[in-house]
Amino acid sequence: MSLDWIYYAISWILLLWHQAWDAIGVPDGAVLGTNWAWILAIIFLVVTVRVILFPVFVKQIKSQRAMQALQPQVKALQEKHKGDRETLQKEMMELYRKEKANPLMGCLPMFLQIPVFLGLFHVLRRLNPDKPLDKKTLYGWTVDQFDSASVAKLFTAPIAGKFGSSAEELARLGADGTTVKIMAGILVLVMMGTTYLTSRQMILKTGWAEDPQQRMIQRLMLYGIPASLLISGAIFPIGVIIYWVTNNMFTLAQQQWVLRKFPPPPNVTKSGTTTTTSARGAAQPAKSGGLFGRGKTTPPAATKPAAPKVAGPKPGAKPTNPKKGQSASPKKSRPAKRQG
């Protein structure tokens, strides 16, 4: 299957924003070692894609709320079919179908952005001033636009360069290997950190899933994906890493807004468990975590101590004196009858 339509679409949006910033007056040449018109074009490529995908993102939040509402029923099914995994999966799929909840909706926005990422990766990887003219005009580019993007830099590191660029590639781009490695290394670390924070932010607000499969997906997104970027980031052009970091920052802001608009159920704490009551009847305090999980602990409402219950006298029992240590008053003796 040809992906040319993706390359044309990405190129069209990228070139449109570059022309817009050029028309506004952003210089096409380097300022502080940076060609800001091309950097802003990549940043606003993110904005364009996120605006298009915003309805899908809202559906993702609503689906996650529906999944949370089903957690008591899921837990009941897990207890009922303990040890029978096949029956449990059938019952859970039937429950999701009946309640119109989609467990995979949580990953849908990320999956929809994969073609955009691959398209930008392909387009930027082609940037090479030595390419023949017929290759420069692919996907709607002009020769001038291609040559301008080929020498575009972020703090003297070309956007087409990467941490693992060979000496030959760096020579074609007219770049210094040390500078490219430093800039790419910093951006890869920022990319890993912001990727982790976007997943952590969602889990802090929605809680860990009871379903083992859902929990495994959450752990994969929280730890697996950021860790994999340490290796894969070496082959990403700097322009692609700029796209990824900008996308993460946009996600952090968007999630914060949507989570305020559609807050999680009030009985769910940040650890994904409901606030319960201990055996003594005291409510456990809930923590309101921020982005890094540091929040103030809400103290439980003060309750007046209950008055001790005084057991009443048993039927037929003699009354006792409540004051300890006080002797009982002597009984008055009746005068004896005189015998005549």
Side-chain angles (χ1 to χ4, degrees), residues 34-162:
T34 304
N35 299 87
W36 293 105
W38 285 109
I39 302 301
L40 289 173
I42 294 173
I43 291 174
F44 276 81
L45 170 64
V46 176
V47 175
T48 304
V49 172
R50 296 310 297 263
V51 169
I52 294 172
L53 294 180
F54 184 75
V56 179
F57 184 79
V58 174
K59 285 185 179 180
Q60 174 198 20
I61 299 296
K62 290 182 177 179
S63 176
Q64 288 176 337
R65 296 293 181 270
M67 293 293 296
Q68 282 182 325
L70 293 176
Q71 290 310 308
Q73 299 180 54
V74 170
K75 198 167 184 179
L77 288 175
Q78 290 172 344
E79 292 293 330
K80 180 180 178 182
H81 302 291
K82 206 169 187 179
D84 189 355
R85 190 171 186 83
E86 184 178 351
T87 305
L88 175 62
Q89 292 299 325
K90 287 182 180 178
E91 293 286 342
M92 287 176 59
M93 288 300 104
E94 179 63 23
L95 176 65
Y96 293 152
R97 185 193 64 79
K98 181 180 177 183
E99 299 296 333
K100 298 180 180 179
N102 188 353
L104 299 178
M105 182 61 73
C107 302
L108 185 59
M110 183 182 69
F111 287 145
L112 291 178
Q113 291 186 72
I114 290 177
V116 180
F117 175 80
L118 293 176
L120 183 64
F121 178 83
H122 178 78
V123 168
L124 294 184
R125 189 179 59 174
R126 294 181 60 256
L127 294 178
N128 178 4
D130 297 335
K131 276 191 178 294
L133 293 179
D134 60 327
K135 298 294 184 181
K136 292 182 179 182
T137 55
L138 286 175
Y139 313 133
W141 290 68
T142 66
V143 174
D144 289 340
Q145 290 170 333
F146 189 92
D147 290 339
S148 175
S150 296
V151 297
K153 294 178 175 61
L154 174 67
F155 301 118
T156 71
I159 61 174
K162 50 187 180 292

Side-chain angles (χ1 to χ4, degrees), residues 33 35 39 127 149-162 165 169-170 172-177 179-181 183-184 187 236-239 242:
N35 299 87
I39 302 301
L127 294 178
S150 296
V151 297
K153 294 178 175 61
L154 174 67
F155 301 118
T156 71
I159 61 174
K162 50 187 180 292
S165 292
E169 291 173 338
L170 293 171
R172 287 200 302 262
L173 295 171
D176 177 68
T179 302
V180 170
K181 280 181 169 53
M183 185 57 59
L187 288 174
F236 294 161
I238 287 176
I242 293 171

